[in-house]
Amino acid sequence: MSLPHAILTALLEKPSSGLELTRRFDKSIGYFWSATHQQIYRELGRLEDAGLIRALPSEVPVRGQKKEYEVLPAGSAELARWVGDSQDPKPMRDPLLLRIRAAGVVGPQGLGGELRRHLDLHRGQLAEYEAIEAKDFPAGRDAVEDRLRRLVLHGGIALESFWLAWLEEALAEVQDMEGEGEAEGSG
């Protein structure tokens, strides 16, 4: 149920077309809630049918022209209601964790390379978040919206920091196991 609320949030920040929303998802909301172009367009139709958003009137109607959408009062009310609702955390589903569990059955051969690859990916993501923080949140930006956006960003930074520490531990452990396997095979 979160995609419609992600779209309402983005549209309240700035009325946009579906294409603009897709681009904005790729640059901000997509860091923690992803959606395809098709999913966004489908959801825009549903939100419009539900009376939560509307297409802005076009000055010159042209077939195939992109529509820009804005949130209606009912959409703002729905988003405010949703913000106050409770929702349990979702269980984590991560293929890497499943691979490590499977390695417990078949052995860790080759797992080190995948752990190193994930380390590189998380280092890159952390660097990207830190660059966003430096660029978008200079000292003194203390408006409520800035503080809340920074809070979300700090959550991303903390998660990436966790993954880096855990992956380094996992890699050291796997390398140690692989070394033990080589020592056993040579004896």
Side-chain angles (χ1 to χ4, degrees), residues 9-29:
T9 299
L11 289 176
L12 277 170
E13 291 172 344
K14 180 180 181 235
S16 304
S17 69
L19 181 58
E20 290 166 338
L21 280 172
T22 299
R23 289 180 182 148
R24 288 174 57 207
F25 263 69
D26 289 344
K27 292 180 183 174
S28 61
I29 292 174

Side-chain angles (χ1 to χ4, degrees), residues 20 49 54 62 73 103 113 115 118-119 125 131 144 173 183:
E20 290 166 338
D49 290 345
R54 73 176 180 118
V62 177
L115 291 170
H118 277 257
L119 260 169
Q125 190 64 64
V144 170
E173 195 74 30

Side-chain angles (χ1 to χ4, degrees), residues 94-128:
D94 189 303
L96 180 63
L97 297 176
L98 184 56
R99 280 190 177 97
I100 294 171
R101 180 70 186 257
V105 179
V106 298
Q109 298 79 13
L111 190 55
E114 184 65 356
L115 291 170
R116 281 188 284 282
R117 189 177 77 79
H118 277 257
L119 260 169
D120 289 342
L121 292 170
H122 285 284
R123 282 185 187 118
Q125 190 64 64
L126 178 59
E128 192 171 335

Side-chain angles (χ1 to χ4, degrees), residues 48-104:
E48 191 172 26
D49 290 345
L52 302 179
I53 65 171
R54 73 176 180 118
L56 291 169
S58 173
E59 292 178 20
V60 180
V62 177
R63 184 183 165 116
Q65 181 179 355
K66 67 180 182 178
K67 293 182 191 178
E68 284 207 343
Y69 294 90
E70 71 176 353
V71 177
L72 295 171
S76 294
E78 168 54 23
L79 189 59
R81 181 206 60 75
W82 182 77
V83 165
D85 269 358
S86 64
Q87 185 174 3
D88 294 338
K90 299 285 184 208
M92 184 168 32
R93 295 177 59 182
D94 189 303
L96 180 63
L97 297 176
L98 184 56
R99 280 190 177 97
I100 294 171
R101 180 70 186 257

Side-chain angles (χ1 to χ4, degrees), residues 121-182:
L121 292 170
H122 285 284
R123 282 185 187 118
Q125 190 64 64
L126 178 59
E128 192 171 335
Y129 287 162
E130 288 171 339
I132 290 169
E133 183 174 33
K135 177 181 160 266
D136 293 346
F137 297 103
R141 282 192 67 178
D142 289 330
V144 170
E145 64 188 23
D146 290 326
R147 291 171 62 192
L148 291 171
R149 288 181 184 139
R150 187 181 311 116
L151 189 60
V152 172
L153 182 60
H154 283 178
I157 289 169
L159 282 171
E160 293 305 325
S161 298
F162 159 78
W163 278 112
L164 287 175
W166 182 82
L167 284 162
E168 287 169 358
E169 175 189 353
L171 181 58
E173 195 74 30
V174 166
Q175 287 173 331
D176 184 53
M177 290 173 208
E178 289 174 339
E180 287 174 10
E182 289 171 12

